[in-house]
């Protein structure tokens, strides 16, 4: 008598060594209709198979801080739209992105989200959710738009303490944090003291210090420390968790550690630029340093080491790219208006969505600075949990989306911009030698990348509604 018949799979990955945020196990993986439907010692033959002998399988990456096709001030334009940005993400192992639907001051937040949906739909190669950027917390935004958008699946938002066109004052921050508390949203804070930056910038410019290298002098560690401290105090006052984005070095880290010691729920994110670049890169020949201008700026070797240590010891919850793509030669990019502009006018941000995972895999896991479980937690599982996408994303478990990376841990290569799929004319990691690169990348059961060949179509990515924030620390 036949008790049951096993449904055939669309894809089987055989001989897998699976690494999750907590476990390492050996199995065959069965995928049906885009989801993981079997993890077994041995599965029957399937028409489509990948032999993963000697490979490592991790969940696809979740890049929870990246910018693409974001509205910019007059004359400036991001090099990546959803098509090129998500293709580049996919080819580096990221299968979910969370870029930002940004409110412009004086405009509605709801309209910003509607516009952003139009930009993403039909273009995204992989699944995407939206963070919001709140720049103008009017009564309408606080009472109606923000609560409604959180209900509709945009349950996190970024607020800025610097940049004239984006920043909020402390009272406004308290107002939006109160909405986060009431509605179960997570606020992400760009913590730099705006007035200090503007005071330092004026002094540097009047002393003739105008080149890209002076960007770092205008934004020293203490500027980040003070704003991080203030953001923590504001979060304590409202009694709501926050996440400090793109933490660059020791001083902000000390503030976050202090907050944790005092029982405050403060999450922290860091990015590749704080592990692999230094302020010296801003002083490269001629105007080349503009390629590494981002905020906060990269620091020094000592701070790189401190950031590594705090990835290892658990201070950081997520590792994101902060991909902010501006081409070097483009008059709408780093050479704004076709000129080598003074440092305050250089569009801030650097590309890195495709290199995020391979860099951390090679220099973190490969060199023993973090283990493979920490790698998975930082790049996939924690961001999925933090932003309400878990366990659909960020996990290898029955029922989860079949978003997977098959890693060739032994592949040695030299990063060059030619091999990347973004629409930016440079990578700050040109010439970096790394070990380990994805062989295959699988997004909802489809092999979208196979040993350098791309099999994805734009428009296959789906919008993901994020559930409300739940504490994970
Ligand atoms: O310089 C940076 N990080 N630019 C991107 C925008 C932001 O603040 O994250
Ligand atoms: Zn920022
Ligand atoms: Zn950013």
């Amino acid at each position: 008598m036949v008790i049951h018949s096993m449904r055939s799979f669309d894809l089987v990955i055989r001989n897998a060594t699976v690494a999750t945020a907590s476990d390492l196990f050996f199995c065959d993986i069965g995928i049906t209709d885009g989801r993981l439907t079997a993890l077994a010692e041995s599965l029957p033959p399937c028409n489509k198979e990948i032999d993963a002998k000697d490979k490592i399988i991790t969940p696809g990456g979740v890049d929870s801080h990246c910018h693409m096709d974001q509205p910019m001030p007059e004359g400036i334009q991001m090099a990546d739209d959803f098509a090129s940005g998500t293709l580049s993400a996919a080819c580096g192992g990221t299968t979910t992105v969370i870029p930002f639907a940004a409110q412009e001051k004086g405009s509605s937040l709801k309209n910003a989200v509607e516009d952003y949906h139009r930009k993403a739909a039909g273009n995204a190669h992989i699944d995407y959710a939206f963070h919001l950027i709140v720049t103008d917390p009017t009564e309408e935004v606080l009472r109606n738009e923000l609560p409604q958008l959180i209900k509709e699946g945009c349950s996190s938002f970024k607020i800025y303490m610097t940049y004239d066109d984006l920043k909020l004052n402390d009272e406004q921050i308290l107002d939006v944090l109160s909405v986060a508390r009431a509605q179960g949203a997570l606020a992400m804070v760009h913590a730099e003291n705006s007035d200090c930056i503007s005071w330092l910038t004026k002094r540097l410019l009047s002393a003739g210090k105008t080149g890209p290298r002076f960007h770092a002098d205008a934004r020293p560690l203490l500027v980040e420390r003070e704003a991080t401290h203030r953001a923590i105090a504001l979060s304590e006052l409202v009694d709501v968790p926050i996440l400090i984005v793109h933490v660059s070095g020791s001083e902000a880290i000390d503030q976050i550690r202090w907050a944790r010691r005092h029982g405050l729920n403060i999450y922290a994110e860091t990015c590749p630029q704080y592990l692999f670049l230094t302020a010296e890169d801003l002083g490269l020949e001629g105007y080349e340093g503009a390629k590494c201008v981002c905020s906060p700026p990269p620091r020094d070797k000592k701070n790189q080491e401190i950031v590594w240590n705090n990835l290892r010891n658990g201070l950081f919850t997520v590792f994101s790219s902060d991909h902010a793509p501006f081409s070097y030669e483009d008059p709408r990019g780093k050479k704004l208006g076709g000129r080598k502009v003074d440092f305050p006018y250089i569009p801030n941000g650097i590309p890195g969505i495709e290199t995020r995972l391979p860099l951390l895999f090679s220099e973190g896991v490969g060199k023993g600075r973090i283990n493979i479980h920490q790698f998975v937690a930082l790049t996939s599982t924690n961001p999925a949990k933090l932003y309400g996408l878990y366990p659909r994303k960020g996990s290898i478990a029955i029922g989860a989306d079949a978003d997977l990376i098959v890693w060739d841990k032994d592949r040695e290569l030299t990063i060059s911009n030619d091999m990347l799929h973004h629409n930016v004319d440079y990578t700050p990691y040109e010439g970096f030698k790394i070990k380990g690169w994805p062989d295959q990348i699988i997004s909802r059961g489809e092999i979208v990348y196979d040993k350098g060949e791309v099999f994805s179509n734009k428009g296959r990515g789906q919008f993901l509604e994020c559930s409300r924030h739940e504490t994970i620390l």
Side-chain angles (χ1 to χ4, degrees):
M1 186 176 71
V2 176
I3 297 173
H4 69 270
S5 65
M6 190 183 269
R7 202 190 141 178
S8 64
F9 300 106
D10 300 326
L11 173 65
V12 164
I13 305 176
R14 218 165 272 297
N15 305 313
T17 302
V18 175
T20 69
S22 54
D23 298 305
L24 191 75
F25 51 91
F26 307 94
C27 67
D28 289 352
I29 301 174
I31 295 169
T32 318
D33 294 336
R35 292 186 310 122
L36 299 172
T37 47
L39 301 171
E41 273 188 340
S42 173
L43 288 174
C46 172
N47 288 341
K48 202 172 194 182
E49 296 200 355
I50 293 173
D51 183 4
K53 187 168 177 311
D54 299 327
K55 313 290 179 198
I56 294 176
I57 313 258
T58 61
V62 177
D63 194 341
S64 59
H65 185 159
C66 51
H67 305 264
M68 49 191 78
D69 214 347
Q70 195 175 306
M72 286 286 120
E74 185 72 30
I76 305 179
Q77 190 166 347
M78 288 195 163
D80 281 316
D81 59 11
F82 269 86
S84 60
T86 57
L87 176 64
S88 183
C91 294
T94 290
T95 48
T96 304
V97 287
I98 319 183
F100 296 86
Q103 180 193 23
E104 289 176 75
K105 276 200 165 113
S107 303
S108 132
L109 182 58
K110 184 168 164 277
N111 289 353
V113 174
E114 283 166 6
D115 277 352
Y116 216 45
H117 272 297
R118 279 191 287 276
K119 289 177 169 186
N123 282 317
H125 284 262
I126 51 170
D127 294 348
Y128 56 95
F130 296 158
H131 301 296
L132 309 169
I133 292 178
V134 181
T135 61
D136 199 357
T138 58
E139 277 300 299
E140 172 61 13
V141 166
L142 295 170
R143 276 177 195 272
N144 298 320
E145 292 195 351
L146 198 44
Q148 185 59 31
L149 289 165
I150 293 166
K151 279 195 196 88
E152 289 169 9
C154 296
S155 61
S156 47
F157 53 80
K158 184 170 177 188
I159 50 182
Y160 286 81
M161 299 171 88
T162 187
Y163 298 130
D164 287 342
D165 51 339
L166 300 172
K167 71 181 177 191
L168 303 187
N169 63 35
D170 291 356
E171 193 172 351
Q172 291 173 313
I173 293 175
L174 290 167
D175 279 340
V176 292
L177 291 185
S178 301
V179 177
R181 185 176 197 278
Q183 303 294 332
L186 182 63
M188 311 158 75
V189 184
H190 179 130
E192 289 184 296
N193 179 311
S194 186
D195 286 346
C196 290
I197 294 169
S198 128
W199 185 81
L200 285 165
T201 300
K202 283 183 198 141
R203 288 169 74 94
L204 287 160
L205 292 180
S206 60
K209 297 180 171 177
T210 59
R213 74 172 65 232
F214 299 107
H215 176 74
D217 296 333
R219 306 175 105 100
L221 282 162
L222 81 82
V223 158
E224 191 185 0
R225 182 228 301 161
E226 187 283 329
T228 303
H229 179 88
R230 189 156 34 100
I232 290 167
L234 300 177
S235 126
E236 184 181 1
L237 194 55
V238 177
D239 186 22
V240 68
I242 55 169
L243 174 132
I244 308 291
V245 291
H246 43 51
V247 171
S248 72
S250 64
E251 302 212 6
I253 287 173
D254 287 346
Q255 298 302 313
I256 295 160
R257 186 173 301 111
W258 178 90
R260 296 258 184 95
R261 253 205 335 268
H262 287 78
L264 302 175
N265 208 351
I266 306 294
Y267 302 103
E269 170 201 82
T270 193
C271 312
Q273 47 271 38
Y274 308 115
L275 296 177
F276 302 111
L277 303 177
T278 67
E280 282 183 23
D281 295 307
L282 298 174
L284 290 174
E285 246 338 81
Y287 189 68
E288 288 278 311
K291 292 179 175 174
C292 298
V293 165
C294 60
S295 296
R299 305 300 182 182
D300 57 14
K301 290 273 178 209
K302 195 173 105 237
N303 278 284
Q304 284 185 348
E305 220 34 61
I306 291 168
V307 174
W308 274 117
N309 291 342
N310 283 280
L311 278 173
R312 184 167 48 247
N313 71 24
L315 180 116
F316 287 109
T317 317
V318 292
F319 182 76
S320 311
S321 68
D322 195 8
H323 179 78
F326 299 102
S327 278
Y328 182 63
E329 295 293 351
D330 189 341
R332 297 160 307 170
K334 296 288 184 181
K335 289 189 184 164
L336 196 56
R339 293 182 304 113
K340 297 177 179 175
V341 293
D342 291 351
F343 75 84
Y345 307 104
I346 301 171
N348 276 211
I350 60 177
I353 206 163
E354 194 165 344
T355 44
R356 172 183 77 119
L357 294 171
L359 279 169
L360 192 69
F361 187 89
S362 169
E363 304 309 292
V365 182
K367 299 207 168 144
R369 291 172 163 127
I370 56 172
N371 65 41
I372 186 77
H373 308 296
Q374 291 172 312
F375 171 83
V376 173
L378 287 160
T379 58
S380 177
T381 310
N382 287 353
K385 286 182 175 172
L386 207 52
Y387 297 115
L389 294 171
Y390 185 86
R392 177 171 174 191
K393 302 293 185 187
S395 104
I396 297 185
I398 302 300
D401 279 359
D403 291 353
L404 302 166
I405 309 175
V406 182
W407 287 94
D408 178 350
K409 63 182 185 336
D410 300 316
R411 178 150 171 233
E412 294 187 25
L413 55 85
T414 305
I415 294 175
S416 87
N417 202 47
D418 301 346
M419 63 189 253
L420 302 178
H421 298 78
H422 60 196
N423 197 28
V424 187
D425 59 2
Y426 77 96
T427 166
Y429 309 109
E430 187 75 37
F432 276 48
K433 292 188 189 334
I434 58 169
K435 191 168 172 186
W437 193 269
D439 257 4
Q440 286 90 17
I441 292 144
I442 296 158
S443 162
R444 263 186 294 102
E446 292 176 27
I447 303 171
V448 291
Y449 173 96
D450 192 354
K451 295 190 177 160
E453 272 192 83
V454 177
F455 296 95
S456 176
N457 299 313
K458 69 176 190 170
R460 64 169 296 289
Q462 296 176 356
F463 176 68
L464 303 164
E465 286 185 19
C466 296
S467 55
R468 292 171 197 232
H469 173 69
E470 280 176 41
T471 300
I472 66 166
L473 272 180

